[in-house]
């Protein structure tokens, strides 16, 4: 979790985001997708920093990111 001063929250960014290292992002992504918890733009992606990840947010823009290292 990363802390930011509350005055920054008014800008709609810098909300708490938790990152979870997991073993199989594809399986978890598909499970959550079938439950309808994602925004239509939520995707599973490979990043330039060698992870495969997806993230989603609550109504206050607090986020959860699930990722695995790609080798």
């Amino acid at each position: 979790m990363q802390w930011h001063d509350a005055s920054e929250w008014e800008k709609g960014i810098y909300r708490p985001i938790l990152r979870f290292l997991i073993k199989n992002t594809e399986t978890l992504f598909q499970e959550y997708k079938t439950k309808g918890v994602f925004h239509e733009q939520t995707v599973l992606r490979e990043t330039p920093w060698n992870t495969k990840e997806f993230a989603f947010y609550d109504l206050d823009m607090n986020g959860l990111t699930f990722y695995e290292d790609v080798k």
Side-chain angles (χ1 to χ4, degrees), residues 1-2 5 7 9 12-13 16-17 19 21-22 24 26-27 31 33 36-37 39 41 46 49 53-54 58-59 61 69:
M1 197 177 279
Q2 188 174 19
D5 187 84
S7 65
W9 296 358
I13 56 174
I17 297 176
R19 290 182 59 83
L21 177 62
I22 63 174
N24 192 332
E26 180 73 36
T27 300
E31 180 181 341
K33 188 174 180 179
V37 299
H39 183 275
Q41 296 175 338
E46 288 196 24
W49 48 92
E53 61 184 62
F54 66 93
D58 68 13
L59 296 175
M61 296 308 294
D69 292 325

Side-chain angles (χ1 to χ4, degrees), residues 11-67:
K11 298 174 188 169
I13 56 174
Y14 301 120
R15 300 297 297 178
I17 297 176
L18 298 175
R19 290 182 59 83
F20 298 92
L21 177 62
I22 63 174
K23 290 185 179 183
N24 192 332
T25 53
E26 180 73 36
T27 300
L28 186 61
F29 180 81
Q30 292 304 323
E31 180 181 341
Y32 283 172
K33 188 174 180 179
T34 63
K35 297 186 185 306
V37 299
F38 293 147
H39 183 275
E40 63 187 31
Q41 296 175 338
T42 302
V43 296
L44 178 62
R45 65 188 180 111
E46 288 196 24
T47 67
W49 48 92
N50 296 319
T51 64
K52 183 186 259 187
E53 61 184 62
F54 66 93
F56 58 104
Y57 303 85
D58 68 13
L59 296 175
D60 292 319
M61 296 308 294
N62 300 301
L64 298 176
T65 299
F66 297 90
Y67 73 98

